[in-house]
Structure formats: C-alpha cells, structure tokens
Amino acid sequence: MPKTIFKILWDRLHRGLPLKVVIQNLTKCGNHYWAFTSIEVKRDRDTKEIRNFIAYRAPINNHAKELISTLYRQVKEVEEKHSLEAGINFLHGFLDEKRLSYDDFMEKIENSANERGILAKLKNIF
Amino acid sequence: MTQRPTPTGKEIRLDSKKHIVSKTDTKGNILYANDYFTEVSGYNKSELIGTPHNILRHPDMPKAIFKLMWDSIKSNQNITAVVKNLAKSGDHYWIVTDFDIQKDPNTGAIKNYIAYRQAASKKVVEKIEPLYKTLKEIEDKHDMEASFEYLTGYLQEKNMGYHQFIEELAKPTGMAAMFFEAMKKLF
Ligand SMILES: Cc1cc2nc3c(=O)[nH]c(=O)nc-3n(C[C@H](O)[C@H](O)[C@H](O)COP(=O)(O)O)c2cc1C
C-alpha cells in the first residue's frame, strides 16, 4: 500500500469527511486481500466531535484489482524514489488525466464492479 | 540530469489511437506521466518525475515555438502545437499537443498544466518540418527574435495565428476534448 493513499485517507477523515478507498489488507497468516472500503465518520450527538470511524468492506473483482494494483505500484515507486509529495502529485495527475475527482474515480470503481463489460474496457484505458 | 541523448535520425512510429499525457507544475517540471509517455520516450516514471519537460527537447526544435507555447499557456490560453521530441534512445517522434490549464480555485493563479498529445500525421510533419528547419537556421545565424519575426510573417501571409494554422493543418484537433470524449464513452 502506498503511503499516499493513507495520507489522503487520514486528511479526509480528520476533516470529518467520509471516503471510499481500495485497501490491500494483510491477514494474520500473511495472505493479502483487496477490499473496497467505505469509511464513515461518526460524531458525538451533542458535542458534534468526531467519535469514531466505521469501515464497511466489500470484495472487488479481478479487473478492478488489476487496475488499482497497477496504479498503487506506480504511486509507491514514485513515493520511494522521490517523496510522499511526489506520490500525491502523481496520483492527482492520474486523476486529472481522466478529469475525475478522487471520489468520482472511486464511484466508477464501485459501480463498475457489477458490470464486467464496462470493466473490461476500463482496464484498457488505465 | 545525465547527458542528453544523441539524435539518431530514426523516427518512432506512434499508435495514432493512444495519447501521451503529462502534468507539470508552472515551470514545466513533470509531476505525472502516463504509461504511453514512458513507453514512447523510453524513460521510466521515476526518471521523469520532478524533471523539467525539456528532457525531451530535440535539438531541431526552434526556440520560437516553445516561446509561443509558453506565452500562450502562461496567459491562460490553450494552444495546439506540433513538436518533435527526442526519446532516450535518440530516436524521435512527432506529436500534436494541446493543454489543460489548471488554476487555484481560490486565487485564480495557474497551478498546473496538462498536455495531451497524439501522433502528428505525415501530412502535418511534411508541412511543419521545413518551416521549423528555416526557423532553426535563422535562430542559429541570428537569434530567436529573428526567427519569431519570420514565423509571425509566415503566419501573417496566411492570415492566421499559429494555433489556427496548426488546427487547420492537423484537424481534427482538440486532443484533450477528444480524449475526454473517448473516456466518457468507456465508462
Ligand atoms: C505541460 C507541458 C508539456 C510540455 N511538453 C514538451 C514536450 O513534449 N517536448 C518538449 O520539448 N518540450 C515540452 N514542454 C516545454 C519545455 O518545458 C521546454 O520549454 C522546452 O523543451 C524548451 O526547452 P528550454 O525551455 O530549456 O529551451 C512542455 C511544457 C509544458 C508546460
């Protein structure tokens, strides 16, 4: 997992904004699995302060997995050879190229998870 | 940066359906390059990131064209330009490019440029190559001002700006728009 993704994640959550993110998790026995993760922000009903975050995880299909893992590999390489800032810039460039915001992109990943035909095409462009 | 590649004179044939995309800061330092960019240029992403875009500058390219380009995008005007680029191998490729200009939503100041490029057709190259050669010769003998002057005269004779000249020559253009249209269809 690139640090860039977690940086974006925490920046958003600390500002109280929910987000969707694809995360590769490690199981106890060392295997990994990919999850489409929706994170919500729960606030105290009275003080309105952030109390906790709740993550809902769903599996993603192979096409989305391939697309995201290629992207993450590139971001991670930029991050390691350059800096976290360069990684963030690279990710934004990737999105700008497609004229998508991060949220739009995640929505496309989420929506297309059920539509295999579209995803096959998605794979071609990225 | 390491030594500039020596031109081989060999042309790289581009896939006319693919786009070469990069994003830079306001000085032209590369922040993002897509896969086709790395494939064609022969530089990997780590080599490109943080590097000035003139890493691709071909010695045959007249300075006047880059001045025209920078004057335009700095004043928030898109421009369609034809550029001969130098790959890491020393081979070259001709592209038609246009730009997206990103501004800070709060201050309105320009933040980033995104260039969308596609293969320049044979017809375009045939027309542009002799013009650039002349411009370059004038630059070498005199200076950029003189070549800029020549270019202005050349275009005036045709009653066109450079942007319009290239659009006429290389149509259909609007690479960014076309690219975006293609993307929309795919989703
Ligand atoms: C978004 C963007 C894309 C550019 N693409 C190229 C390119 O493909 N090839 C190139 O030679 N210069 C490109 N330039 C211009 C270079 O920054 C540089 O001005 C040019 O190579 C001339 O080099 P010099 O400024 O060192 O004389 C680009 C600039 C920007 C802002």
Side-chain angles (χ1 to χ4, degrees):
Chain A
M1 279 297 297
K3 288 198 179 69
T4 294
I5 301 301
F6 291 119
K7 167 91 173 113
I8 289 173
L9 182 153
W10 283 111
D11 282 355
R12 283 277 292 257
L13 294 180
H14 283 144
R15 285 188 305 163
L17 302 168
L19 95 159
K20 293 173 176 172
V21 58
V22 176
I23 300 182
Q24 187 180 32
N25 283 316
L26 218 56
T27 63
K28 212 172 174 180
C29 55
N31 293 330
H32 65 252
Y33 64 97
W34 289 90
F36 189 92
T37 314
S38 307
I39 307 179
E40 285 181 4
V41 181
K42 294 290 169 204
R43 291 174 183 276
D44 186 285
R45 207 184 301 178
D46 305 315
T47 66
K48 298 281 178 265
E49 261 173 71
I50 296 173
R51 276 210 358 233
N52 52 18
F53 307 108
I54 303 180
Y56 303 90
R57 296 188 184 82
I60 64 172
N61 66 25
N62 284 332
H63 296 283
K65 213 179 292 179
E66 234 175 85
L67 196 161
I68 292 284
S69 60
T70 305
L71 171 65
Y72 282 8
R73 198 177 338 107
Q74 294 181 351
V75 171
K76 196 161 165 60
E77 190 185 327
V78 170
E79 232 175 62
E80 281 169 356
K81 294 239 170 81
H82 296 274
S83 61
L84 177 60
E85 193 193 348
I88 292 168
N89 283 332
F90 186 88
L91 180 73
H92 283 142
F94 173 88
L95 296 169
D96 290 339
E97 176 187 2
K98 290 134 193 109
R99 294 193 183 159
L100 295 174
S101 68
Y102 175 82
D103 291 342
D104 293 338
F105 178 57
M106 279 301 124
E107 202 171 303
K108 300 224 184 256
I109 295 277
E110 189 178 24
N111 290 343
S112 55
N114 313 315
E115 298 173 60
R116 295 219 37 186
I118 293 181
L119 254 190
K121 285 182 193 154
L122 243 180
K123 213 181 77 184
N124 284 337
I125 10 170
F126 290 115
Chain B
M1 208 42 230
T2 46
Q3 194 119 49
R4 257 174 207 289
T6 312
T8 60
K10 239 180 74 199
E11 183 171 1
I12 299 172
R13 287 255 151 252
L14 298 180
D15 182 340
S16 62
K17 286 190 215 69
K18 286 191 177 169
H19 289 78
I20 300 175
V21 182
S22 63
K23 179 179 175 183
T24 73
D25 63 14
T26 52
K27 294 196 182 72
N29 295 310
I30 299 169
L31 303 175
Y32 170 78
N34 74 348
D35 290 342
Y36 198 46
F37 190 125
T38 53
E39 185 185 327
V40 170
S41 70
Y43 293 103
N44 65 38
K45 294 206 159 90
S46 302
E47 287 176 293
L48 291 169
I49 302 294
T51 305
H53 225 305
N54 68 12
I55 186 173
L56 300 178
R57 194 188 65 218
H58 196 287
D60 290 351
M61 275 301 292
K63 286 198 174 70
I65 300 300
F66 292 119
K67 175 171 161 47
L68 199 70
M69 196 192 89
W70 275 106
D71 285 353
S72 177
I73 60 175
K74 272 191 193 161
S75 57
N76 198 23
Q77 281 284 314
N78 180 26
I79 183 168
T80 306
V82 174
V83 180
K84 182 183 191 175
N85 274 334
L86 188 65
K88 192 178 183 179
S89 63
D91 298 350
H92 65 265
Y93 54 99
W94 283 92
I95 49 95
V96 187
T97 186
D98 71 5
F99 298 87
D100 255 358
I101 300 164
Q102 285 189 337
K103 283 173 284 177
D104 186 302
N106 299 318
T107 64
I110 292 174
K111 265 177 57 188
N112 298 104
Y113 301 111
I114 303 170
Y116 295 84
R117 314 174 184 79
Q118 252 184 326
S121 71
K122 235 192 168 129
K123 189 186 122 214
V124 170
V125 175
E126 269 165 21
K127 186 95 182 188
I128 287 291
E129 203 166 19
L131 170 65
Y132 282 8
K133 192 157 179 278
T134 307
L135 292 174
K136 180 75 183 144
E137 274 165 16
I138 297 171
E139 264 167 36
D140 290 345
K141 278 212 195 90
H142 304 277
D143 52 18
M144 191 183 68
E145 230 163 88
S147 75
F148 206 75
E149 195 82 7
Y150 178 90
L151 178 64
T152 313
Y154 180 90
L155 295 169
Q156 255 164 14
E157 191 189 300
K158 300 192 158 38
N159 231 331
M160 284 181 203
Y162 177 84
H163 186 67
Q164 197 189 354
F165 171 61
I166 297 295
E167 290 232 317
E168 293 266 313
L169 194 63
K171 72 184 147 191
T173 51
M175 241 82 52
M178 267 170 51
F179 180 73
F180 189 47
E181 278 308 306
M183 297 286 307
K184 265 201 317 215
K185 273 191 224 128
L186 287 168
F187 282 120

